[in-house]
Amino acid sequence: VHPDEAITLNNMGSLYQEIEEYELALEYFQKALDIELQTMGEENPTVASTYNNIANAYTDLEDFKTSLEYHTKALKIRLKLYGNNHPSVANSYSNTGVVCQHLEEYDNAMELYYAALEINKEAFGEIHTSVAHNYLQIATVCSDLGEFDRAISYYSLVIDIQTQLLGENHPDLALTLNNLGIVYEVMGDLKNAIDTYFKSYMIRKRALGDDHQATLLSYEFFTRASMLAKGETPATTVGS
């Protein structure tokens, strides 16, 4: 058995994960892990990454308890190898937070997201994709808790970073704007919801074209909020 076989198996697992074949992905990740444990021992960064892959596959399968077990294994290895302030540790905190959020353990999720944020800010500075991702995660927890003003402030930080890093016409920025629009709509602030949905729609139209599913979805959000503002009842309910 050679460690290179594990690389191939992990790559296969990632491909199956991308096409949402999560059971097959898990099978390949587990085979990779078996080889890695035989050839490297457990306290190895590659093993930690494979534990992380397995955990994420279980998250995709909505088996959050098992996902948490594997994320914990990955975190323990990374803490032992790197200490408390390494981006790989931040990655484990972030991923574990996602599981806690699914389990509606919002305080734990928030604590983990903040821990990841502090590490990433120290490692990369404020203007970095990992920092934006952590702010986005915190914003979603605030939304889940009904703390909409806090959610808006964090979404605004994400938008600032994405605009600086990606420019004003990137689909990732459009997605953040769309999610911010949802917060405004839930708050009943239809004016800001309409403005934000329209910005999202125009970015997607320029970046992806008129007929792309994401563009059409943004237009549906914009149309629905516009109808609500006029006191009309939208014909359908759209999802993000």
Side-chain angles (χ1 to χ4, degrees):
V1 178
H2 195 278
D4 286 352
E5 292 180 41
I7 296 172
T8 303
L9 290 165
N10 259 317
N11 289 339
M12 288 296 296
S14 296
L15 286 171
Y16 279 115
Q17 196 166 21
E18 284 179 19
I19 61 172
E20 300 181 6
E21 293 282 355
Y22 302 126
E23 295 281 4
L24 277 172
L26 200 53
E27 188 177 321
Y28 279 99
F29 290 145
Q30 191 64 57
K31 287 178 180 176
L33 177 65
D34 291 343
I35 293 171
E36 289 163 0
L37 289 172
Q38 287 180 52
T39 58
M40 304 173 185
E42 186 169 44
E43 290 179 8
N44 185 283
T46 302
V47 172
S49 293
T50 303
Y51 278 144
N52 186 71
N53 290 342
I54 291 170
N56 288 336
Y58 276 116
T59 298
D60 291 329
L61 289 166
E62 299 185 2
D63 183 349
F64 301 121
K65 183 179 178 182
T66 307
S67 176
L68 203 55
E69 290 172 7
Y70 279 96
H71 276 313
T72 300
K73 288 181 179 183
L75 177 61
K76 284 180 179 177
I77 295 169
R78 287 169 169 175
L79 283 169
K80 189 161 188 177
L81 291 174
Y82 302 124
N84 295 324
N85 296 304
H86 191 277
S88 291
V89 173
N91 175 259
S92 282
Y93 285 149
S94 175
N95 288 335
T96 307
V98 171
V99 179
C100 290
Q101 193 171 354
H102 278 297
L103 292 169
E104 300 183 1
E105 297 175 2
Y106 297 121
D107 288 344
N108 287 339
M110 191 74 88
E111 187 177 338
L112 288 160
Y113 292 154
Y114 273 122
L117 173 66
E118 291 308 311
I119 293 169
N120 284 327
K121 283 172 70 174
E122 182 69 24
F124 304 120
E126 179 80 10
I127 309 304
H128 191 273
T129 52
S130 295
V131 173
H133 181 65
N134 296 144
Y135 281 142
L136 185 62
Q137 291 176 315
I138 293 167
T140 62
V141 176
C142 292
S143 293
D144 288 341
L145 292 171
E147 298 176 3
F148 299 122
D149 288 333
R150 284 185 70 200
I152 289 168
S153 69
Y154 281 106
Y155 276 124
S156 297
L157 290 170
V158 177
I159 289 165
D160 288 344
I161 295 170
Q162 288 180 329
T163 301
Q164 290 186 58
L165 290 177
L166 306 173
E168 296 182 350
N169 293 299
H170 195 281
D172 288 354
L173 176 59
L175 178 59
T176 303
L177 286 165
N178 201 77
N179 290 338
L180 175 58
I182 292 170
V183 175
Y184 281 129
E185 185 177 338
V186 171
M187 292 177 71
D189 185 350
L190 292 174
K191 182 183 183 302
N192 275 320
I194 290 166
D195 290 345
T196 309
Y197 286 147
F198 185 71
K199 288 177 185 176
S200 174
Y201 166 64
M202 291 304 296
I203 292 170
R204 284 172 165 171
K205 183 177 180 179
R206 286 191 292 265
L208 304 172
D210 290 338
D211 298 326
H212 193 279
Q213 183 179 0
T215 306
L216 297 172
L217 187 63
S218 280
Y219 185 72
E220 285 185 53
F221 275 106
F222 168 69
T223 303
R224 181 186 65 185
S226 299
M227 291 181 69
L228 289 170
K230 295 174 184 175
E232 300 173 6
T233 303
T236 57
T237 300
V238 294
S240 179

